[in-house]
Amino acid sequence: PQDHLQEVLTKLRSRRDLTMKWCNSTKRVSCVSPKGAFYAFPRLDIPEGDDVFVKELLVQKHVLVVHGSGFGQKAGTKHFRIVFLPDEQTLTTAYAGIADFMKTQYK
């Protein structure tokens, strides 16, 4: 049976839309909307590398994302990968932590 797939797709679309809304409303972050994935690769407009961003975010806000340079992104493009499989409350909490980090770190 494949009945469950529509519900899963609806949840993933909602979580993707939440992710894109956050990306589009957060200063120094931009992102192309994913079409068939459960993750996004937001681009950062920051002075240091994405690896430094990811480490400091984890230390300061306890939010774990993966630096884009670890996925073979073009050097210096400063991306991070965020998986939007968790429930919306968890994502909202994580995005609030990242946004707060961005505000204090990159005025």
Side-chain angles (χ1 to χ4, degrees):
Q2 302 288 314
D3 313 11
H4 66 286
L5 290 180
Q6 189 55 49
E7 182 182 350
V8 170
L9 289 174
T10 299
K11 286 180 182 180
L12 287 175
R13 280 189 195 107
S14 176
R15 294 168 187 175
R16 179 206 55 203
D17 293 347
L18 175 68
T19 300
M20 293 311 302
K21 182 178 178 183
W22 175 80
C23 287
N24 291 329
S25 65
T26 302
K27 206 171 189 179
R28 297 180 173 262
V29 177
S30 60
C31 191
V32 174
S33 183
K35 301 284 187 233
F38 54 83
Y39 56 87
F41 268 108
R43 186 170 184 171
L44 299 164
D45 179 16
I46 59 172
E48 68 267 1
D50 54 16
D51 57 334
V52 174
F53 170 83
V54 166
K55 289 174 195 169
E56 285 301 311
L57 176 64
L58 181 59
V59 167
Q60 293 184 34
K61 296 295 177 179
H62 306 125
V63 176
L64 179 63
V65 296
V66 181
H67 55 96
S69 54
F71 288 90
Q73 295 290 303
K74 185 178 174 183
T77 57
K78 302 176 186 175
H79 288 78
F80 68 95
R81 180 182 177 183
I82 190 154
V83 174
F84 51 82
L85 288 174
D87 62 82
E88 291 183 14
Q89 180 58 48
T90 301
L91 291 173
T92 299
T93 301
Y95 296 153
I98 300 170
D100 187 55
F101 176 77
M102 297 291 290
K103 286 178 193 170
T104 58
Q105 208 60 19
Y106 312 106
K107 297 176 183 176

